[in-house]
Amino acid sequence: NTVLGSGAGYLMSSGNRNTVIGNGAVFAGTGIEDTTAVGRHALRDATGWYNTALGSAAGDNITTGGYNITIG
């Protein structure tokens, strides 16, 4: 995992091959795999695999599922 940013991946307790960049990105995400989140609060509460989020708060309400792409 690569995590950069204040609070990024803060509660991320498991997962592999993730890139998380941004303040609070994937803050409470658990069990994520192969996920990319770039932006403030991107995928903030995410679980699941193969998610991509680009932009401030992109996908911040996704809590389940995989193969999601959110931009904005």
Side-chain angles (χ1 to χ4, degrees), residues 1 4 10 16 18 28 30 32 37 40 47 52 54 61 69-70:
N1 295 322
L4 300 170
Y10 185 73
N16 295 298
N18 300 298
T30 57
I32 63 171
R40 181 181 175 272
T47 61
T52 301
L54 304 173
N61 289 320
I69 299 172
T70 57

Side-chain angles (χ1 to χ4, degrees), residues 26-32 35 43-48 51 59-60 62-64:
V26 191
F27 180 85
T30 57
I32 63 171
T35 290
L43 293 174
R44 179 175 170 83
D45 299 318
T47 61
N51 291 305
D60 64 336
I62 293 174
T63 57
T64 60

